[in-house]
Amino acid sequence: MGSSVLIVDDEPSVCQLLSNRLKHEGFQCRTCSSAEEAAGLAQEKAFDVVISDLRMPGISGLDLLEIVRKKHPRTAFLMVTGVDDVRVGIDAMKRGADDYITKPFQLDGVIAAIERALQRKRLEIEVETYRENLEQMAEQRTKQLHIAMKRIEGTYDETLEALGAALDLRDTETEGHSRRVSRCCLEMAKKMECTGEQLKQIARGSYLHDIGKIGIPDAILLKPGRLTEEETAVMQTHARVGYDLVSRIAFLAPAAEIVLTHQEQYNGTGYPQGLMGQEIPLGARIFAVADTLDAMTSDRPYRRALSLAVARAEITRESGRQFDPEVVRVFLSIPDHVWEKIRLEVAGARLFSTAIRSAFASTAPSVGLPAEASLVPPRMSEVL
Ligand SMILES: [Fe+2]
């Protein structure tokens, strides 16, 4: 079907002339003798082309141009001017007309102008469609990327859980401790304006801080009494052993420095390097406070858990010695209920996983235990 053309001219003979020729060329033509009538028609129907006289009684061709442009930006609009009105024709193009035609008509020229305008519109539509497709494609790819990233994060969590579980098998005391310390570190780190990436590394590094204990012989790791000097030296290698292990895993490499430096003390009396003050990575300085808080408020074979008030007093006393004063300040600003909530949540998760483990062991041993990772809410990526 040919393109639809609306011809607007107050002189019926002009409408007739154009209409006859255009029909002959295969166009579908409608004619109007005023811009008002054309404006009404344009409200109902989108024409491919409008050819309008500039000067008409009532509203002018320029007014009609504005009306048509608003409603149908894809319609090709040709303004008809007298030979003396060329400047007005150019003005019409500035206002959105695609071309202008001068009277008296050269009909071949009119056809060529229409074809040119239609071709231009087609190109505009193609470009617009291409842009829209591109946007859609980019949006789709971004979504796919997010899904892939989420999957990778999930794999990271599972790797962390597996490493943690490996240590738990050797030293059951560390299980809840690692989780609690990691959560406590996050609470403080969030108040210290750490970036999202820093938070991630602090959470991972503090969770794995004692992973090097995997390499410590049972006779030392599980010894109930006091360690000899030699045994202590072996025990202290766990920071370096942990670092060597974790730094080889690409996504954990930035967290490895916390594993290496988690036993350093602010005043330089820690190990393995005896770092001082700001030489110690921020994550490890935060960890030192979280570790003491958790150790003091946990039951030990030789004493019951101490209260948060006692822990607060001890941490305050060690500010500037064992601990970074700035971290201590942030720690003190966090209310007790935050620490209590972390302890309860981690305890709840452990009880839950133990219950599930025994349920599976007694009813369907062949089914096996679902991944421990999925039983330990919240996961690293959920906390962050
Ligand atoms: Fe340690």
Side-chain angles (χ1 to χ4, degrees):
M1 210 160 63
S3 303
S4 56
V5 182
L6 175 63
I7 302 162
V8 191
D9 202 305
D10 54 322
E11 286 176 50
S13 59
V14 171
C15 286
Q16 200 56 49
L17 176 77
L18 275 178
S19 176
N20 286 345
R21 176 64 198 268
L22 291 180
K23 275 181 187 162
H24 185 72
E25 295 290 336
F27 292 99
Q28 298 196 330
C29 298
R30 286 281 302 259
T31 57
C32 283
S33 57
S34 74
E36 281 89 346
E37 192 190 342
L41 251 183
Q43 293 303 319
E44 297 161 16
K45 178 174 159 50
F47 290 89
D48 296 317
V49 185
V50 174
I51 303 175
S52 171
D53 196 12
L54 178 72
R55 294 176 200 282
M56 288 176 286
I59 65 170
S60 73
L62 283 175
D63 297 325
L64 179 63
L65 168 64
E66 201 173 310
I67 294 165
V68 171
R69 265 289 154 269
K70 252 188 217 154
K71 181 94 179 158
H72 309 292
R74 300 257 164 91
T75 294
F77 197 106
L78 302 179
M79 193 67 83
V80 180
T81 69
V83 268
D84 306 331
D85 278 338
V86 171
R87 208 169 276 166
V88 189
I90 291 167
D91 185 42
M93 284 181 74
K94 281 185 190 156
R95 297 208 213 171
D98 292 275
D99 207 345
Y100 68 91
I101 309 165
T102 51
K103 271 185 193 171
F105 295 124
Q106 279 195 334
L107 287 175
D108 289 341
V110 174
I111 304 292
I114 292 174
E115 294 293 2
R116 260 201 319 272
L118 279 173
Q119 178 62 14
R120 213 181 93 178
K121 286 289 163 196
R122 271 195 287 272
L123 279 174
E124 273 177 26
I125 292 166
E126 265 175 40
V127 169
E128 179 71 7
T129 312
Y130 181 70
R131 197 181 58 79
E132 275 169 12
N133 284 346
L134 218 60
E135 276 170 9
Q136 257 178 16
M137 220 158 72
E139 207 174 297
Q140 216 175 5
R141 289 284 150 87
T142 311
K143 261 189 209 155
Q144 286 170 345
L145 195 66
H146 276 144
I147 292 169
M149 294 287 284
K150 266 218 127 97
R151 219 173 280 152
I152 290 171
E153 284 289 323
T155 315
Y156 286 174
D157 276 355
E158 282 159 17
T159 309
L160 272 180
E161 299 289 349
L163 279 171
L167 179 58
D168 292 346
L169 288 175
R170 295 286 322 282
D171 181 5
T172 46
E173 260 198 28
T174 59
E175 189 183 359
H177 171 69
S178 300
R179 290 187 202 291
R180 285 191 301 270
V181 165
S182 175
R183 296 279 305 278
C184 293
C185 282
L186 265 182
E187 287 301 328
M188 288 184 267
K190 279 178 184 168
K191 287 205 165 242
M192 298 191 81
E193 290 172 5
C194 291
T195 62
E197 189 51 37
Q198 277 176 310
L199 289 179
K200 225 178 254 177
Q201 300 310 338
I202 289 172
R204 289 169 178 170
S206 54
Y207 179 68
L208 294 175
H209 67 277
D210 268 346
I211 192 69
K213 285 187 178 171
I214 286 178
I216 305 298
D218 276 356
I220 297 173
L221 182 68
L222 307 176
K223 185 177 172 182
R226 242 185 130 74
L227 298 182
T228 65
E229 213 170 290
E230 264 175 30
E231 287 166 341
T232 303
V234 173
M235 188 63 151
Q236 289 188 349
T237 61
H238 81 276
R240 177 77 62 184
V241 171
Y243 174 79
D244 290 343
L245 176 71
V246 169
S247 59
R248 269 182 278 167
I249 304 168
F251 86 94
L252 288 175
E257 67 166 13
I258 297 176
V259 177
L260 178 66
T261 56
H262 78 273
Q263 297 284 1
E264 300 287 355
Q265 298 195 0
Y266 195 71
N267 60 5
T269 58
Y271 65 88
Q273 299 170 90
L275 300 178
M276 273 185 90
Q278 308 288 315
E279 288 172 351
I280 306 167
L282 175 63
R285 278 180 274 140
I286 294 174
F287 168 83
V289 172
D291 191 39
T292 295
L293 168 70
D294 192 69
M296 291 187 74
T297 53
S298 297
D299 284 335
R300 283 284 182 264
Y302 48 89
R303 64 150 169 79
R304 299 288 295 166
L306 301 167
S307 71
L308 276 166
V310 173
R312 276 181 190 277
E314 171 64 11
I315 289 167
T316 309
R317 204 172 61 80
E318 284 297 314
S319 176
R321 290 195 276 196
Q322 209 178 326
F323 308 124
D324 177 351
E326 179 54 19
V327 178
V328 173
R329 193 188 62 72
V330 169
F331 162 70
L332 292 174
S333 74
I334 299 172
D336 284 356
H337 67 80
V338 173
W339 311 124
E340 284 157 0
K341 187 169 171 248
I342 289 174
R343 185 163 281 278
L344 277 174
E345 278 180 7
V346 173
R350 287 180 72 191
L351 273 177
F352 180 57
S353 74
T354 309
I356 295 277
R357 186 186 286 121
S358 51
F360 269 81
S362 60
T363 57
S366 59
V367 175
L369 177 68
E372 175 82 359
S374 64
L375 304 173
V376 189
R379 302 176 103 196
M380 233 29 116
S381 47
E382 289 160 8
V383 179
L384 290 166

